[in-house]
């Protein structure tokens, strides 16, 4: 295998037939040495092959009688140079800014980004596959964001929930809103073409909760099964005339252009971290960053963010 070949996390996930979060977990544990190229993590082919050989050796050792000298396989808790990888899930640009500040202000930490939806992120945290989860999940019965889901999924875990920001969510419609869509109830209209988000995303949960609350069946919506994996792709599909409506955040409409946005709800975008003795040093650094003027100034330069509660602890167990 050529020494100049390297793989992205997505390519490794496909080669090993595992999830991308599992790849991040292997990187976090130091089993897969990695390095950053721009915003992308890469693993050299030689390191991937070495990992595969170690895994095969471990599997073989588990299925044969104990040798005269014991065989041990102990994955490293940290990466090269004593740094520890911290996996941060979510897609908002505010997380990229947060990563930049953590890289500068938190020694011994290597932040890794995983572009995973809110619900899947919480499940990954439950499985030990993520360290900082960003989430924007509406509970339609209470009107509360995030806490009902966090309490149900992270049962028995000590954790901290802190606000990152709030932002407007609603409907993307074609320029000029030719169909005159105004609110969630309008999604019941016959013949309306929807473009959806993937299962586990906050926007998908928001849509499903609104459909439930308004008594609209999913099979009424043409295109309910047509999925995109981010807000910009949803807004772009509507702008291109390939759908009449989609659900997402205001900022993506401004980026895409050629699409109008109907704000319908203010959603709270929170961070969740698990408390442990090992995590406390970087959690303290994280809280300092969230409450710093420098971090807030950078977020304030981005239109559409409400920072009135940024850094506020919403729940601690």
């Amino acid at each position: 295998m050529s020494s100049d070949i390297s793989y992205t996390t997505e390519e490794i996930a496909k080669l090993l037939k595992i999830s991308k979060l599992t790849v991040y977990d292997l990187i976090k544990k130091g089993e897969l040495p990695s390095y950053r190229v721009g915003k992308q993590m890469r693993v050299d082919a030689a390191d991937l092959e070495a990992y595969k050989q170690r895994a095969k050796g471990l599997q073989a050792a588990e299925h044969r009688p104990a040798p005269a000298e014991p065989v041990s396989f102990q994955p490293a808790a940290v990466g090269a140079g004593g740094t520890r990888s911290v996996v941060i899930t979510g897609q908002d640009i505010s997380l990229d800014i947060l990563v930049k500040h953590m890289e500068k202000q938190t020694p011994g930490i290597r932040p890794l980004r995983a572009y995973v939806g809110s619900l899947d992120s919480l499940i990954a945290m439950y499985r030990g596959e993520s360290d900082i989860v960003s989430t924007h999940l509406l509970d339609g019965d209470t009107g509360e964001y995030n806490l009902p889901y966090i309490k149900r999924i992270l049962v028995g875990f000590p954790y901290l929930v802190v606000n990152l920001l709030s932002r407007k969510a609603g409907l993307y419609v074609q320029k000029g809103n030719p169909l005159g869509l105004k609110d969630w109830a309008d999604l019941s209209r016959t013949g309306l073409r929807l473009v959806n988000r993937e299962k586990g995303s906050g926007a998908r949960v928001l849509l499903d909760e609104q459909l439930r609350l308004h008594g609209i069946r999913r099979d009424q919506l043409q295109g309910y099964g047509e999925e995109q994996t981010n807000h910009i792709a949803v807004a772009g599909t509507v702008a291109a005339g390939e759908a009449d409506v989609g659900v997402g955040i205001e900022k993506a409409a401004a980026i895409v252009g050629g699409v109008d946005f109907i704000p319908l709800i203010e959603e709270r975008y929170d961070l969740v971290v698990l408390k442990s003795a090992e995590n406390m040093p970087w959690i303290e650094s994280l809280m300092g960053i969230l409450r710093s003027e420098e971090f807030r100034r950078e977020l304030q330069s981005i239109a559409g963010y409400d920072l009135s509660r940024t850094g506020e602890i919403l729940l601690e167990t």
Side-chain angles (χ1 to χ4, degrees), residues 13 16 21 23 84 108 115 150 180 182 257 285:
L16 299 182
L21 278 175
V23 176
R84 182 194 163 189
Y115 296 87
I150 296 167
K182 296 179 180 178
S285 176

Side-chain angles (χ1 to χ4, degrees), residues 241-259:
E242 297 172 6
D244 299 312
V245 64
V247 175
I249 60 172
E250 182 178 23
K251 180 161 52 64
I255 293 172
V256 170
V259 66

Side-chain angles (χ1 to χ4, degrees), residues 292-312:
S292 70
E293 285 301 317
E294 183 182 0
F295 180 69
R296 291 174 66 91
R297 276 197 303 270
E298 283 203 59
L299 290 187
Q300 284 168 348
S301 68
I302 302 173
Y305 287 160
D306 177 355
L307 308 179
S308 59
R309 302 183 71 180
T310 300
E312 178 183 337

Side-chain angles (χ1 to χ4, degrees), residues 8 28 33-34 48 50 56 76 79 101 110 119 129 133 158 168 179 187 208 211-212 215 241 252 268 272 287 297:
T8 66
K28 181 176 72 171
S34 66
L48 175 60
K56 287 178 182 178
H101 282 263
R110 179 176 57 178
L119 191 56
E129 298 174 343
V133 160
K168 290 182 173 61
L179 298 179
L187 296 179
D208 286 344
L211 294 180
R212 180 178 67 85
R268 207 179 66 226
V272 188
M287 293 302 299
R297 276 197 303 270

Side-chain angles (χ1 to χ4, degrees), residues 102-288:
M102 290 186 72
E103 288 174 332
K104 288 169 53 179
Q105 301 180 40
T106 314
I109 289 298
R110 179 176 57 178
L112 302 177
R113 294 278 278 109
Y115 296 87
V116 185
S118 294
L119 191 56
D120 287 344
S121 293
L122 284 173
I123 294 170
M125 176 166 275
Y126 177 83
R127 292 173 175 166
E129 298 174 343
S130 58
D131 299 291
I132 301 176
V133 160
S134 65
T135 179
H136 57 110
L137 295 167
L138 174 69
D139 178 63
D141 293 324
T142 63
E144 175 70 274
Y145 262 93
N146 303 323
L147 298 185
Y149 293 89
I150 296 167
K151 290 175 181 177
R152 287 196 289 266
I153 293 173
L154 298 180
V155 175
F157 286 86
Y159 56 80
L160 188 70
V161 184
V162 57
N163 179 247
L164 180 57
L165 52 90
S166 294
R167 60 192 188 183
K168 290 182 173 61
L171 302 177
Y172 302 125
V173 298
Q174 293 179 12
K175 200 68 177 176
N177 194 9
L179 298 179
L181 303 177
K182 296 179 180 178
D183 54 36
W184 302 111
D186 289 333
L187 296 179
S188 64
R189 292 188 189 178
T190 303
L192 198 66
R193 298 174 302 156
L194 173 78
V195 55
N196 209 346
R197 281 292 303 278
E198 79 280 11
K199 295 184 179 106
S201 67
R204 177 68 166 260
V205 170
L206 173 58
L207 171 65
D208 286 344
E209 284 290 82
Q210 295 300 337
L211 294 180
R212 180 178 67 85
L213 293 172
H214 289 84
I216 303 171
R217 299 193 319 273
R218 298 175 184 179
D219 58 13
Q220 288 180 245
L221 280 169
Q222 179 183 339
Y224 180 86
E226 299 297 320
E227 298 179 356
Q228 296 287 352
T229 58
N230 57 70
H231 296 293
I232 290 176
V234 171
T237 301
V238 175
E242 297 172 6
D244 299 312
V245 64
V247 175
I249 60 172
E250 182 178 23
K251 180 161 52 64
I255 293 172
V256 170
V259 66
D260 284 347
F261 177 75
I262 302 171
L264 295 177
I265 194 168
E266 184 88 4
E267 67 175 17
R268 207 179 66 226
Y269 196 53
D270 298 331
L271 300 179
V272 188
V273 298
L274 295 183
K275 295 194 305 182
S276 68
E278 181 185 17
N279 290 350
M280 287 314 296
W282 63 257
I283 289 177
E284 291 175 5
S285 176
L286 171 67
M287 293 302 299

Side-chain angles (χ1 to χ4, degrees), residues 25 30 39 43 49 54 63 77 95 98 128 164 181 186 189 215 217 231 254 286 310 317:
D25 192 44
K39 293 183 179 179
V43 174
E49 184 63 25
R54 289 197 304 271
H63 289 87
L95 299 173
L98 178 61
L164 180 57
L181 303 177
D186 289 333
R189 292 188 189 178
R217 299 193 319 273
H231 296 293
L286 171 67
T310 300
T317 63

